Amino acid sequence: MDMDMEEPPHLFLCPISMELMEEPVTVSTGVTYDRRSIERWLFTYGRATCPTTMQPLANLDLTPNHTLARVISSWLDRGSSSSSSSSSPSTSSLSSPVHELGTPLTRMLEEERLRSALGDLEQTPFKVTALKSMRSCMAGDVAMQIIFVASGGVEAVGRVMAQALAESGAGGDFSAFTVCEEAAAVLAALPLSDEASAGLVLAPECLRPVMVLLQRGSAEARLHAMDILTKISSAGAGDHWTAGIDVDDVLKSLLELLSDEVSARLSSRALNVLLDVVERSPSGRAKAVEVGAVHVLVELLVVDADDRHVAERILLLLKRLCKCPEGRLAFAEHDLSVAAVARTMLRVSDLATQLAVKVLWLVSMVAQSEKVLEDMVLTGAVAKLLGLLHVESAPSTKQKTVRMVRIHGVFWRQYPCFPTDLKDYLRLLD
């Protein structure tokens, strides 16, 4: 090689001789060597392992790596052109062929490395390292993510997750569970924004490990699992993406995350997925109530009533859950439910007020409960309803407010704590 030429990229060098490869070939482990060096290793020295990984070779086939050979040839040709024109004083170092080739050259090598890593993923004993490398390779790179999906990456990672989960469950192998967590990190790095790619993750070998991580994974792994679920639900991967999973387990996991308040980001995404499960699953509402969703949501609303984004989603969930009898009963039985909902009225946002009125309407009009009506007086909910009549609000909200006041006014007037001026106002409504 010409001494004036730029040093070749490391990936152009044979791992055995550390010299520029003349005829690159790939062995069964996915590593590429110069043919002369690897043949000497295999046939002269009688070795049957990969010199780089020391893994046993599945066979002694040497597959020509035409892509790398073309890249090396192109680099050599451009390097020669660079040497012949280097004496020209007008030539800028930044416009030399090496720099011009740098970006596409690196690109081709990265793509080749990703495909090679995918092909070797299920056999390599260094799965965590391989998965980390894949994630790094795809980070923020849409083109690489497309190559990953098109090359069967989601399916391969799914199989690795399922195998790792089985191994960790059978023998309590912590390292296998780490593989599962790292595999989830790879899937979470994908956009999963179209129905096709999201549908691949819905395959049982992918989705079941994701649900296990949601329940038992580290804080970071749970966030990755939640990212995956959020993307699946947002992608519209079928009207019933929950059909392939145990809805009870999903709901329990989501409610546990909300109760633990591990992180604001995790709680926020848990609310989004919970909304989607409750809406999409035919039995979602009843099952959510059964596993304690109303209790958890009320407790969360007590703490986060001033956070508009959180409060609005909680109120929307309570509205949906209170559309079923079990939900209304659970709401009525909680001592803080009415107070928590009433607190958001005329305070958080117009949407929060509308949703709060709808919740109170469902629990006081659709299924009347004396406890709820009493709580509405004692917590100031009635006073806020009357206040709504004096401010601009959505027609449907005002209509519900007037009907509640008219129908329950007689009951509310009997309480000594009920303000005198409000009693007079109720008489005017009558």
Side-chain angles (χ1 to χ4, degrees):
M1 185 175 65
D2 191 334
M3 294 298 292
D4 293 330
M5 271 186 82
E6 187 82 16
E7 280 295 314
H10 182 74
L11 290 176
F12 289 4
L13 305 180
C14 174
I16 298 174
S17 66
M18 295 308 295
E19 294 180 354
L20 187 68
M21 286 186 274
E22 296 179 0
E23 189 179 355
V25 292
T26 303
V27 298
S28 62
T29 58
V31 182
T32 298
Y33 301 93
D34 186 61
R35 179 180 291 276
R36 185 166 52 182
S37 296
I38 191 63
E39 285 183 344
R40 184 184 302 117
W41 171 271
L42 295 174
F43 306 122
T44 302
Y45 300 123
R47 307 290 179 84
T49 56
C50 172
T52 300
T53 66
M54 296 310 293
Q55 289 178 252
L57 294 173
N59 53 63
L60 300 183
D61 294 342
L62 302 177
T63 305
N65 190 330
H66 297 299
T67 300
L68 185 56
R70 284 195 300 270
V71 173
I72 292 174
S73 177
S74 178
W75 180 82
L76 287 170
D77 291 343
R78 296 191 181 211
S80 299
S81 300
S82 175
S83 298
S84 63
S85 61
S86 61
S87 59
S88 173
S90 62
T91 303
S92 168
S93 61
L94 289 178
S95 63
S96 68
V98 172
H99 288 285
E100 290 173 2
L101 188 59
T103 299
L105 175 62
T106 302
R107 188 78 184 171
M108 293 176 69
L109 293 172
E110 287 296 311
E111 291 176 5
E112 184 68 20
R113 187 176 69 160
L114 178 61
R115 291 190 179 95
S116 176
L118 270 175
D120 192 42
L121 180 61
E122 294 179 69
Q123 286 76 38
T124 179
F126 309 110
K127 287 183 172 59
V128 171
T129 301
L131 290 164
K132 284 181 181 293
S133 177
M134 286 181 196
R135 182 153 60 118
S136 173
C137 192
M138 293 189 295
D141 192 329
V142 176
M144 294 296 280
Q145 292 164 1
I146 292 173
I147 291 173
F148 176 86
V149 175
S151 302
V154 174
E155 298 93 320
V157 169
R159 290 191 294 271
V160 167
M161 288 180 76
Q163 179 186 356
L165 186 63
E167 292 174 357
S168 67
D173 187 347
F174 178 76
S175 62
F177 200 74
T178 303
V179 170
C180 194
E181 291 190 336
E182 192 58 45
V186 172
L187 295 181
L190 299 172
L192 302 177
S193 54
D194 61 284
E195 192 169 335
S197 58
L200 294 174
V201 183
L202 285 173
E205 62 265 22
C206 275
L207 199 56
R208 285 173 189 153
V210 169
M211 297 313 306
V212 171
L213 290 177
L214 193 63
Q215 296 169 327
R216 296 172 16 211
S218 63
E220 185 178 16
R222 292 166 91 179
L223 186 57
H224 288 148
M226 185 58 66
D227 283 346
I228 293 168
L229 290 181
T230 301
K231 290 172 182 176
I232 291 173
S233 64
S234 300
D239 290 335
H240 303 295
W241 69 265
T242 57
I245 59 178
D246 189 326
V247 175
D248 282 357
D249 284 346
V250 178
L251 292 170
K252 289 176 183 176
S253 300
L254 295 173
L255 294 174
E256 183 180 336
L257 289 175
L258 290 171
S259 299
D260 292 346
E261 296 186 85
V262 177
S263 73
R265 182 182 174 192
L266 199 54
S267 296
S268 177
R269 299 200 173 189
L271 281 172
N272 290 340
V273 177
L274 184 58
L275 275 165
D276 198 57
V277 173
V278 168
E279 185 67 19
R280 288 180 186 268
S281 175
S283 59
R285 293 176 186 175
K287 288 189 175 184
V289 174
E290 185 181 335
V291 297
V294 172
H295 177 85
V296 171
L297 292 170
V298 169
E299 296 290 330
L300 194 60
L301 188 59
V302 170
V303 176
D304 294 323
D306 292 327
D307 186 323
R308 179 173 67 87
H309 297 292
V310 173
E312 288 174 353
R313 282 178 290 177
I314 292 175
L315 289 168
L316 179 56
L317 274 164
L318 287 173
K319 186 196 81 168
R320 289 179 178 176
L321 295 178
C322 286
K323 286 184 177 180
C324 66
E326 300 89 347
R328 293 190 290 271
L329 179 61
F331 185 91
E333 290 176 345
H334 197 293
D335 292 335
L336 298 177
S337 58
V338 174
V341 171
R343 186 184 174 199
T344 65
M345 295 169 61
L346 298 173
R347 175 175 178 169
V348 176
S349 67
D350 290 342
L351 177 58
T353 297
Q354 292 175 32
L355 292 170
V357 169
K358 180 64 175 177
V359 171
L360 294 177
W361 167 271
L362 289 168
V363 297
S364 67
M365 298 291 288
V366 177
Q368 295 186 19
S369 162
E370 284 198 8
K371 179 182 180 302
V372 169
L373 295 177
E374 181 178 3
D375 287 346
M376 289 177 72
V377 178
L378 300 178
T379 61
V382 175
K384 286 200 172 185
L385 287 174
L386 291 169
L388 269 174
L389 298 177
H390 297 284
V391 299
E392 186 177 346
S393 60
S396 61
T397 299
K398 186 155 289 189
Q399 182 182 26
K400 288 181 175 63
T401 302
V402 170
R403 290 197 62 188
M404 280 190 280
V405 172
R406 284 188 182 279
I407 292 173
H408 300 311
V410 175
F411 179 87
W412 288 331
R413 274 200 301 256
Q414 66 182 321
Y415 286 88
C417 64
F418 195 77
T420 303
D421 58 336
L422 291 184
K423 290 181 181 178
D424 295 337
Y425 190 78
L426 288 174
R427 290 193 186 97
L428 290 175
L429 285 177
D430 293 339

